[in-house]
């Protein structure tokens, strides 16, 4: 039995795609085809598929909403598992939100507001999933996942599903024990506080105005492209290096916010990666500060 048939046997044919263009599944709107693209519907399927792939020696990558990902123009040789559209259930009990890893942060924030729960407003405009947010300790406007996260259900590198408490996650700036040592987030719980729904909505609207006025949301991008160097701001360094509007092919350093690389004119993934590399080199040459990508790069670029 070939890999396609085995994947269909586990997930159902409707959840297995071949030669799937990754430009359809990343917010950069760039990237070539994955050999296999699968959309598991529940935690047990994730475990079974990954066990199969590990035993067969097939490369794989687990993604969420594709909001922090760049796939090479020649695609990905292996299997990409998308934990997003099919694993996104949300349940609220008292002031705790329990959600599967594929739940969008914006959806969680909206449900929290409707229930009169405050503390998750910071994440309302982050275009990612809960799983990715836990993995990278996502944050914005003074809030971070580590401030609200209590526990997560994780498929560890040995193939065991276990519960991990927040204090065990080693949550730091855009990092966690999972991003360093491996593991797949399957679900998580966040602890919020009772609040006034109208005040929560007002705060979310304020943050939306800040984002739309300062960020180039009208173009495809992956949000902040580079990590914040200690003691600096990436966007300020890029601006001071004279790189506002700097362009490689269809990729551009945003004129609105220099911390964003945007797909301005049908950029290829190679355009985007080349621009990122050149920006990093130019900033280092001028200021001696090395910008590291916050965006994950996978697949074949040549």
């Amino acid at each position: 039995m070939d890999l396609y048939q085995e994947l269909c046997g586990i997930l159902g044919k409707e959840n297995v795609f071949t030669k799937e263009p990754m430009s359809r599944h990343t917010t950069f709107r760039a990237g070539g085809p994955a050999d296999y693209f699968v959309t598991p519907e529940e935690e047990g399927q994730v475990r079974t598929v990954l066990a199969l792939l590990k035993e067969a020696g097939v490369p794989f990558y687990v993604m969420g909403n594709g909001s922090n990902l760049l796939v090479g123009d020649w695609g990905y040789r292996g299997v990409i598992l998308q934990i997003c559209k099919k694993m996104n259930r949300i349940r609220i009990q008292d002031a705790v939100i329990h959600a599967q890893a594929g739940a969008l942060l914006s959806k969680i924030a909206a449900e929290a507001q409707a229930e009169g729960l405050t503390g998750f407003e910071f994440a309302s405009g982050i275009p990612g999933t809960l799983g990715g947010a836990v993995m990278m300790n996502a944050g914005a406007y003074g809030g971070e996942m580590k401030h609200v996260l209590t526990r997560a259900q994780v498929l560890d590198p040995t193939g065991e599903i276990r519960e991990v408490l927040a204090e065990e996650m080693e949550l730091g700036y855009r990092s966690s024990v999972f991003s360093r040592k491996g593991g797949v987030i399957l679900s998580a719980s966040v602890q919020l506080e009772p609040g006034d729904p109208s005040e929560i909505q007002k705060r979310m609207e304020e943050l939306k105005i800040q984002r739309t006025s300062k960020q180039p949301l009208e173009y495809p991008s992956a949000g902040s492209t580079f990590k914040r160097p200690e003691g600096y701001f990436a966007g300020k360094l890029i601006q001071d290096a004279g790189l506002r509007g700097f362009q490689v092919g269809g990729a551009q350093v945003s004129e609105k916010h220099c911390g964003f690389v945007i797909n301005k004119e049908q950029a290829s993934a190679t355009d985007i990666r080349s621009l990122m590399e050149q920006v990093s080199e130019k900033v280092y040459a001028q200021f001696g500060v090395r910008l590291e990508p916050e965006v994950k790069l996978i697949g074949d670029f040549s």
Side-chain angles (χ1 to χ4, degrees), residues 222-293:
S224 297
T225 308
F226 299 98
K227 294 179 181 178
R228 185 180 68 235
E230 188 172 354
Y232 299 90
F233 291 99
K236 181 70 163 54
L237 288 169
I238 295 167
Q239 176 180 311
D240 291 348
L243 296 172
R244 182 185 297 275
F246 177 64
Q247 193 158 338
V248 174
Q252 184 188 60
V253 173
S254 169
E255 295 177 300
K256 194 173 187 180
H257 189 315
C258 291
F260 284 60
V261 170
I262 61 173
N263 182 344
K264 187 178 183 183
E265 299 169 342
Q266 297 182 317
S268 67
T270 302
D271 290 342
I272 296 168
R273 187 180 76 162
S274 177
L275 185 146
M276 290 170 60
E277 291 173 344
Q278 290 188 50
V279 165
S280 181
E281 290 301 324
K282 292 175 185 293
V283 167
Y284 184 74
Q286 290 197 44
F287 304 113
V289 179
R290 179 68 69 184
L291 294 181
E292 297 182 3

Side-chain angles (χ1 to χ4, degrees), residues 70-90:
L70 180 64
V71 183
D73 296 310
W74 294 96
Y76 184 80
R77 305 285 75 78
V79 180
I80 291 184
L81 292 85
Q82 185 196 55
I83 298 179
C84 182
K85 296 179 176 64
K86 302 287 181 74
M87 287 180 59
N88 57 14
R89 291 187 294 276
I90 301 170

Side-chain angles (χ1 to χ4, degrees), residues 184-245:
V184 178
I185 311 300
L186 299 174
S187 64
S189 301
V190 296
Q191 175 73 57
L192 304 179
E193 300 293 334
D196 182 341
S198 62
E199 288 299 316
I200 296 168
Q201 183 64 37
K202 180 180 177 182
R203 177 57 178 161
M204 289 167 61
E205 290 173 357
E206 289 173 351
L207 294 179
K208 182 178 180 180
I209 291 171
Q210 288 188 51
R211 286 192 303 274
T212 54
S213 65
K214 296 179 181 179
Q215 298 178 9
L217 303 182
E218 64 273 27
Y219 292 103
S221 78
S224 297
T225 308
F226 299 98
K227 294 179 181 178
R228 185 180 68 235
E230 188 172 354
Y232 299 90
F233 291 99
K236 181 70 163 54
L237 288 169
I238 295 167
Q239 176 180 311
D240 291 348
L243 296 172
R244 182 185 297 275

Side-chain angles (χ1 to χ4, degrees), residues 92-224:
I92 300 176
Q93 183 176 13
D94 298 323
V96 180
I97 295 183
H98 308 277
Q100 289 183 298
L104 292 173
L105 299 178
S106 57
K107 177 67 172 175
I108 296 172
E111 295 212 11
Q113 184 276 331
E115 290 291 323
L117 296 175
T118 185
F120 210 73
E121 294 90 328
F122 75 90
S124 60
I126 300 175
T129 61
L130 180 60
V134 174
M135 181 74 66
M136 298 305 295
N137 185 31
Y141 300 106
E144 292 181 90
M145 288 302 298
K146 69 179 182 181
H147 298 151
V148 295
L149 188 63
T150 61
R151 64 191 67 235
Q153 187 184 49
V154 178
L155 178 65
D156 71 21
T158 71
E160 294 299 316
I161 295 178
R162 61 190 184 91
E163 186 173 88
V164 181
L165 299 178
E167 51 265 33
E168 302 174 90
M169 296 180 190
E170 300 174 18
L171 298 170
Y173 174 68
R174 302 298 180 265
S175 69
S176 69
V177 67
F178 313 117
S179 63
R180 293 189 294 275
K181 298 182 179 180
V184 178
I185 311 300
L186 299 174
S187 64
S189 301
V190 296
Q191 175 73 57
L192 304 179
E193 300 293 334
D196 182 341
S198 62
E199 288 299 316
I200 296 168
Q201 183 64 37
K202 180 180 177 182
R203 177 57 178 161
M204 289 167 61
E205 290 173 357
E206 289 173 351
L207 294 179
K208 182 178 180 180
I209 291 171
Q210 288 188 51
R211 286 192 303 274
T212 54
S213 65
K214 296 179 181 179
Q215 298 178 9
L217 303 182
E218 64 273 27
Y219 292 103
S221 78
S224 297

